[in-house]
Amino acid sequence: MFTTRPTLQGTFGMVSSTHWLASQSAMAVLEDGGNAFDAAVAGAFVLHVVEPHLNGPAGEVPILLAPAGGEVRVLCGQGVAPAGATVAHYQGLGLDLVPGTGPLAAAVPGAFDAWLLLLRDHGTKSLDDVLKYAIGYAEHGHPPVENVGAAVESVRELFETEWTSSAEVYLPGGDAPRPGALLRNPALAATWQRLLAETAHAGDREARIDAAREVWRTGFIAEALLRQSRRPTLDTSGERHTGTLTEADLADWSASYEDPVTYDWNGWTLCKAGPWSQGPALLQQLALLPAELPAYGSADHVHLLIENCKLAMADREAWYGDAAHVPLAELLSAEYNAERRALVGESASYELRPGTVGGREPRLPARAGTRGDAGASLPGAGEPTVGLGGVGEPVLGAAGEPAAVTMPGEPRVSADGATRGDTCHLDVVDRWGNMIAATPSGGWLQSNPVVPELGFPLGTRLQMAWLEEGLPNSLTPGRRPRTTLTPSLALRDGVPVLAFGTPGGDQQDQWQLHFFLAATLRAPVRGALDLQGAIDAPNWHNDGFPSSFHPRTSRPGSVTVESRMPEAVVAELRRRGHDVTVGPAWSEGRLCAVARDPRTGVLSAAANPRGMQGYAVGR
């Protein structure tokens, strides 16, 4: 079968990420004797530099890790709502949604501490070893991809008039970053160099990493983050607000380990983060599948997955969150899913239909029915669009033709800093069998002004919590906002075999399900999973549920497909009532994947060709 690239195979180590410099930096760590966890940390800090419009150190990251011979664990790098982040406080400011930008949207930063905890507990390399790649690219520069400059141009006026510390980094001399010219971030390089200097004599490897974590929580980094949070900042509400972060919020939080949520399907065990993420929605979609599946890629197959997704995402809205007990056992039970499966008919549903669990009636947010109107202006697009749905929609001109290609997982930005989408992804497997999947996000350059002393901004993950009391995802001090970030790890006979994930906000567990089914149900290539073929297959998504991003709209009945999907399938979907938009040929998903065959030790990897920047490396 023809694919855009080969699925890589080898025995030493494999890396796949959403940027080639991060992939190769991680591979360099493997070549230097490091393990998969060392490599992932180095790659992650490079992603902060080369994809600053998609993630940053003050963002967040869920990590799934499988140490060789050990148990799969979730490392939660999603920070909680600060103590002062109450529904009453935000409503007192006249808000009915958490702003999409600015310090009011900032949770306790989580990514940095999670990466360092991973390095301390599972890595072998020193802090200097893993930070040197990011420091080098920040200090000496790297050639940015096109979307960095496009994102900066989208917020040029905001940066020049309001967020001037961001203009100093991303509009030096008035020029936005452009391919072929080097983009530097001296302040970020200086931050990591100072961190290394301040912890140089802290003790052994582990003690030094803990000392660096303490500097983040209580030292010069914490002090600078708090100063920024207390500066009145223009956000998507059109007003200037200060944040709620305090010294205690930063000092008292740390990343933590927990067990994954799992589901067994067709001989595989899928592992996901808990319902503080949307991860179990992929498991629910698997649980809804019938015993006999339609032919892969057929209209019956696509229709079934779309309708199952709507049911799972309706349950996400009604039941998932960190502020209440989530009845996952019932949501994944055979009895519940038999009832839910019967709701899927021959025609497209336009309703949001969460289920009744254990006699408890579902409760949806009051704004859950808010719709994005067809033809409305999408922030930053500058052209009429098909609506205000999720990440991954093509931007359409007046004639209905693509006016620009905005890659899934890339933010769209308006003059007030409103953004749609974000995120990177990184997978690594090494010769010892250690495996990791991570989806870093948040703290991107459009989220908040750059902290001038540090070179990076605060995040905005609180925008995903509701300003309505009594919901599982209500804004609640000390609780995690429900995140869209959702890496995946799959086991066969209890042994880790496959790590994968994608950027794309609410679409992540749609594209990942499509990939997983394609990879596991199609014929092997060279004796292994056809990772590249599964990534390259024509993809699609729907937005028939509330977006997790400000302004929280939905597009009932919508389906966006790549133009490579067969015309007969598109016609049949329309006949069944789906509101189908045909997007560019390569516009749905930014998947990464690595695998290990436990029978032979053969490693493999593949990466997404969409956007021309994801890359897999290995040998």
Side-chain angles (χ1 to χ4, degrees), residues 156-482:
R156 174 183 284 274
E157 182 180 351
L158 177 71
F159 280 14
E160 290 178 337
T161 60
E162 293 281 344
W163 296 9
T164 54
S165 60
S166 298
E168 292 176 9
V169 176
Y170 293 108
L171 287 168
D175 297 325
R178 58 183 176 83
L182 295 179
L183 172 62
R184 296 178 174 87
N185 190 339
L188 179 58
T191 295
W192 300 145
Q193 288 166 336
R194 180 177 174 183
L195 179 73
L196 294 177
E198 288 195 6
T199 60
H201 304 293
D204 63 12
R205 191 188 76 91
E206 290 80 8
R208 190 178 181 198
I209 292 169
D210 278 336
R213 297 172 66 209
E214 195 61 28
V215 170
W216 177 277
R217 287 198 284 257
T218 63
F220 78 93
I221 295 176
E223 293 167 359
L225 292 173
L226 289 168
R227 282 193 295 272
Q228 185 63 51
S229 178
R230 291 162 181 164
R231 292 187 179 109
T233 301
L234 182 68
D235 59 36
T236 54
S237 71
E239 303 291 334
R240 292 175 180 82
H241 293 113
T242 56
T244 60
L245 280 172
T246 66
E247 287 85 353
D249 293 321
L250 290 176
D252 294 344
W253 185 86
S254 68
S256 58
Y257 296 99
E258 58 190 55
D259 292 329
V261 179
T262 64
Y263 186 77
D264 294 333
W265 178 84
N266 201 32
W268 291 86
T269 299
L270 263 290
C271 302
K272 302 289 282 186
W276 53 269
S277 75
Q278 71 174 7
L282 188 150
L283 306 184
Q284 283 196 250
Q285 291 175 81
L286 285 174
L288 284 164
L289 292 175
E292 296 294 328
L293 290 177
Y296 184 89
S298 66
D300 287 340
H301 172 85
V302 176
H303 171 76
L304 175 67
L305 296 191
I306 291 168
E307 294 305 300
N308 284 355
C309 175
K310 292 174 185 176
L311 294 174
M313 289 304 208
D315 279 343
R316 183 194 76 166
E317 287 309 307
W319 299 108
Y320 289 19
D322 198 32
H325 169 70
V326 180
L328 275 182
E330 292 88 347
L331 291 171
L332 293 172
S333 69
E335 297 78 13
Y336 178 78
N337 284 285
E339 294 177 4
R340 299 286 279 165
R341 196 177 297 122
L343 296 176
V344 176
E346 287 297 309
S347 299
S349 170
Y350 280 57
E351 300 176 60
L352 194 63
R353 300 181 290 178
T356 299
V357 180
R360 295 166 56 195
E361 291 297 321
R363 178 184 164 191
L364 291 168
R367 293 180 60 95
T370 305
R371 302 188 179 201
D373 297 325
S377 178
L378 185 67
E383 295 287 345
T385 75
V386 293
L388 289 174
V391 182
E393 299 169 45
V395 179
L396 301 183
E401 295 299 319
V405 177
T406 302
M407 290 309 301
E410 300 283 354
R412 292 173 175 138
V413 191
S414 70
D416 63 1
T419 56
R420 304 188 57 73
D422 59 331
T423 311
C424 311
H425 189 79
L426 175 71
D427 301 310
V428 188
V429 61
D430 64 28
R431 62 190 184 273
W432 301 288
N434 299 302
M435 186 177 288
I436 183 170
T439 309
S441 184
W444 7 279
L445 65 88
Q446 314 90 319
S447 61
N448 262 293
V450 165
V451 183
E453 305 94 322
L454 303 179
F456 59 84
L458 286 163
T460 55
R461 194 57 56 174
L462 291 186
Q463 67 178 288
M464 297 186 170
W466 293 103
L467 295 183
E468 182 180 344
E469 297 284 10
L471 297 169
N473 192 33
S474 297
L475 181 66
T476 308
R479 296 292 184 178
R480 295 165 288 191
R482 191 195 69 218

Side-chain angles (χ1 to χ4, degrees), residues 27-212:
M27 192 66 202
V29 174
L30 294 180
E31 296 284 2
D32 194 41
N35 66 20
F37 310 118
D38 297 311
V41 175
F45 278 89
V46 170
L47 285 172
H48 298 158
V49 179
V50 300
E51 291 194 314
H53 59 312
L54 303 178
N55 79 138
E60 45 275 326
V61 58
I63 300 169
L64 285 172
L65 61 142
E71 298 295 321
V72 176
R73 300 286 281 163
V74 175
L75 177 50
C76 175
Q78 173 58 64
V80 299
T86 64
V87 170
H89 175 66
Y90 286 67
Q91 290 179 341
L93 296 172
L95 299 170
D96 60 357
L97 286 175
V98 177
T101 60
L104 270 181
V108 176
F112 177 89
D113 194 65
W115 288 118
L116 263 64
L117 190 62
L118 176 71
L119 182 67
R120 186 196 73 181
D121 294 346
H122 297 280
T124 65
K125 291 292 187 179
S126 71
L127 208 52
D128 300 78
D129 289 335
V130 297
L131 284 178
K132 65 183 180 183
Y133 305 94
I135 291 172
Y137 286 125
E139 183 174 15
H140 303 297
H142 66 95
V145 295
E146 289 84 352
N147 280 317
V148 176
V152 172
E153 285 291 358
S154 298
V155 285
R156 174 183 284 274
E157 182 180 351
L158 177 71
F159 280 14
E160 290 178 337
T161 60
E162 293 281 344
W163 296 9
T164 54
S165 60
S166 298
E168 292 176 9
V169 176
Y170 293 108
L171 287 168
D175 297 325
R178 58 183 176 83
L182 295 179
L183 172 62
R184 296 178 174 87
N185 190 339
L188 179 58
T191 295
W192 300 145
Q193 288 166 336
R194 180 177 174 183
L195 179 73
L196 294 177
E198 288 195 6
T199 60
H201 304 293
D204 63 12
R205 191 188 76 91
E206 290 80 8
R208 190 178 181 198
I209 292 169
D210 278 336

